[in-house]
Amino acid sequence: MSNAAVRYRTIAMLGLPIIGGMLSQSLLNLVDAALVGQLGPQALAATGAGSYGSFVAISLILGLSSAVQSMVARRRGQRRYDEMLQPVVGGLLLSVLIALPLSLLFIHFSQPLLAPLTQPDSAGLARQYFDYRTTAMVAVAMNLAFRGWWNGTERPGYYLISLIATHLLNIAVSYGLIFGAFGLPTMGAPGAGLGTAIALFAGAGINGLMLWQDSRRQQIALFSLKPALLRRLISLSIPPSLQQLLIALAVISLFYIVGMLGMEQQAIAHVLINLTLFLILPAVGFGVAAMSLVSRALGEHNVELAHSWGWAVAKTALGTLCLISLPMWLLTDQVLGLFLSEAALIDQAHAPLQLAALAICVDAIAIVLGQALLGAGASRLVLTISTLMQWGLFLPLAWLVGPVLGYGLLGIWLCQVLYRGLSSLIYIRIWQRQQWQTCVL
């Protein structure tokens, strides 16, 4: 078997379970949107506001996964097997110390935080949905730490198992709470938020049990921690968490900009954004695989191998996303009909969804190489590029083209294609010229 074949086989074996896990995780939001969409555009818009508000809250801890994964993978490459479990234990401790007070803070201020995103009729629904989802911040943080361990040890299939169980539970409980099935109370849209929170805590419990069994099987000390490791975890978590916070704020700002067009447009945008986030996850999954491969290669002091891994994974992701975006082109109305119950809304969303499919393909390389740079330790560079492109280019342009110049949803999603294309070109240039540096993990 040729070296190229071996390389792509390695990418597939590592990346596909990660992608499966991430797709399952994103389905939590898609299930909420599909179920709540049956209640009408008002409930769908309220759920959108609550979910994006929750995304902002959770974004503050999202960097924990990449920090744990990079440290675990680097120790694996250095054959420091007795120290591999320390980052995930530290991540679990930080999950409680950081996520719990944050969740209480966001719930306390949920009403003023969501007010700019909601219409008066849907504000109460949005706040209840947000509060339930934000209650699960600790569970989300713990699952992120677990994901860093399984991905960093190149065994993402274990995390996939927990996410499939989480997803199936979410479907059953959310359906029951929304519509009053299975003897559960009828809660409407807020029931989707409570069902998701219950499922996330269950997923954390499953992951915890698997980690405990894994540590006993490998005879690794589970509670060996040093203060310096916690400080390093926090240091590595801050840049990607800030990046995710800015992404979340960008999404919520986009939702606000679309809200200037009307509530129906917000309902459509909620569907478009969730479909985009769902279908773009294979690139994120391949990017996470690239992070581990690049970090491990650098742990072996092989810079050229790290460089070639980035390119190989980026090309794989590009082909994959072009393939899976085809239904958004060929079956546009059928896809939209899963979430929107009114023909007029489907007509408005038709062309923007096709533009979203194009943007997904264009963004594949930027996502993978951005994650690869995180594996190389260049997290500040990724944060800088992401911030400038989102806040310096896309959002001002979306506001100008959409509400001000009157090109609506179509104009806003055209801006998405431009922004994502330029981001990919920037990352290609940086990776090709190797404008990144290793760091001690």
Side-chain angles (χ1 to χ4, degrees):
M1 187 179 294
S2 66
N3 289 337
V6 171
R7 181 166 297 171
Y8 286 112
R9 181 181 177 184
T10 301
I11 293 170
M13 291 179 65
L14 178 58
L16 291 178
I18 296 174
I19 292 168
M22 286 189 161
L23 289 175
S24 180
Q25 187 175 25
S26 182
L27 278 172
L28 293 171
N29 293 326
L30 274 181
V31 165
D32 285 357
L35 293 176
V36 174
Q38 301 177 42
L39 303 178
Q42 178 180 333
L44 190 58
T47 302
S51 65
Y52 300 134
S54 177
F55 183 23
V56 171
I58 292 171
S59 67
L60 295 170
I61 55 174
L62 287 179
L64 187 61
S65 179
S66 62
V68 171
Q69 179 177 337
S70 295
M71 294 182 73
V72 169
R74 186 66 63 91
R75 281 159 173 72
R76 186 170 183 264
Q78 296 168 340
R79 303 185 185 278
R80 294 158 58 189
Y81 301 120
D82 58 329
E83 301 177 26
M84 282 173 51
L85 202 58
Q86 293 177 359
V88 67
V89 177
L92 293 173
L93 178 60
L94 292 176
S95 298
V96 177
L97 295 179
I98 296 175
L100 182 58
L102 280 177
S103 64
L104 296 175
L105 181 66
F106 276 103
I107 290 172
H108 181 73
F109 291 103
S110 61
Q111 183 172 356
L113 287 172
L114 295 177
L117 301 175
T118 56
Q119 305 295 330
D121 293 342
S122 60
L125 293 176
R127 189 178 70 254
Q128 292 177 61
Y129 180 88
F130 172 85
D131 288 348
Y132 284 130
R133 287 290 298 266
T134 308
T135 300
M137 274 189 71
V138 173
V140 172
M142 295 178 71
N143 284 321
L144 289 169
F146 289 127
R147 187 176 79 183
W149 166 254
W150 298 120
N151 291 345
T153 57
E154 299 185 12
R155 295 177 296 164
Y158 285 89
Y159 188 65
L160 174 59
I161 292 171
S162 70
L163 281 180
I164 291 175
T166 300
H167 174 58
L168 292 175
L169 181 62
N170 176 58
I171 293 176
V173 177
S174 292
Y175 181 85
L177 290 172
I178 292 170
F179 301 106
F182 316 126
L184 296 173
T186 303
M187 298 178 61
L194 178 57
T196 300
I198 292 172
L200 287 168
F201 276 107
I206 293 170
N207 267 306
L209 179 61
M210 290 194 299
L211 178 67
W212 176 261
Q213 294 174 338
D214 195 42
S215 66
R216 294 182 64 186
R217 183 167 55 250
Q218 299 189 46
Q219 296 183 338
I220 302 175
L222 189 59
F223 299 108
S224 176
L225 277 180
K226 298 177 181 178
L229 182 137
L230 293 177
R231 292 194 296 269
R232 188 60 182 152
L233 269 174
I234 294 172
S235 175
L236 288 172
S237 297
I238 289 175
S241 290
L242 285 176
Q243 180 190 359
Q244 291 298 322
L245 173 62
L246 291 171
I247 290 173
L249 289 173
V251 170
I252 208 169
S253 298
L254 175 61
F255 196 69
Y256 173 78
I257 291 170
V258 173
M260 297 179 182
L261 305 175
M263 186 183 69
E264 290 186 348
Q265 284 71 26
Q266 272 193 323
I268 293 170
H270 180 45
V271 173
L272 296 177
I273 293 170
N274 271 285
L275 283 171
T276 298
L277 293 175
F278 174 69
L279 291 175
I280 216 166
L281 280 176
V284 178
F286 280 123
V288 172
M291 185 194 303
S292 284
L293 293 168
V294 168
S295 188
R296 187 181 71 183
L298 292 175
E300 297 167 351
H301 306 290
N302 194 334
V303 177
E304 287 305 316
L305 179 60
H307 183 253
S308 62
W309 273 128
W311 279 125
V313 178
K315 288 185 286 186
T316 304
L318 177 60
T320 302
L321 261 67
C322 289
L323 180 63
I324 66 172
S325 64
L326 285 178
M328 295 171 66
W329 282 93
L330 303 178
L331 302 170
T332 309
D333 290 346
Q334 290 86 341
V335 171
L336 290 169
L338 297 173
F339 305 92
L340 301 172
S341 57
E342 299 178 12
L345 297 182
I346 293 175
D347 288 341
Q348 290 185 58
H350 185 98
L353 180 59
Q354 292 183 333
L355 287 174
L358 177 60
I360 287 170
C361 298
V362 169
D363 203 27
I365 293 177
I367 292 172
V368 170
L369 294 184
Q371 292 292 313
L373 286 168
L374 291 179
S379 54
R380 288 184 176 84
L381 177 61
V382 176
L383 173 61
T384 301
I385 295 171
S386 175
T387 302
L388 290 177
M389 293 303 295
Q390 287 173 339
W391 293 90
L393 175 66
F394 171 61
L395 288 175
L397 197 59
W399 171 78
L400 177 64
V401 172
V404 176
L405 297 181
Y407 290 98
L409 289 174
L410 185 63
I412 291 174
W413 260 260
L414 276 171
C415 295
Q416 283 254 23
V417 175
L418 174 63
Y419 142 67
R420 295 183 187 276
L422 289 175
S423 295
S424 286
L425 290 176
I426 291 171
Y427 280 113
I428 287 172
R429 181 173 177 81
I430 290 171
W431 193 257
Q432 179 64 21
R433 298 181 63 182
Q434 299 190 32
Q435 294 179 344
W436 37 272
Q437 59 183 4
T438 62
C439 69
V440 177
L441 298 177

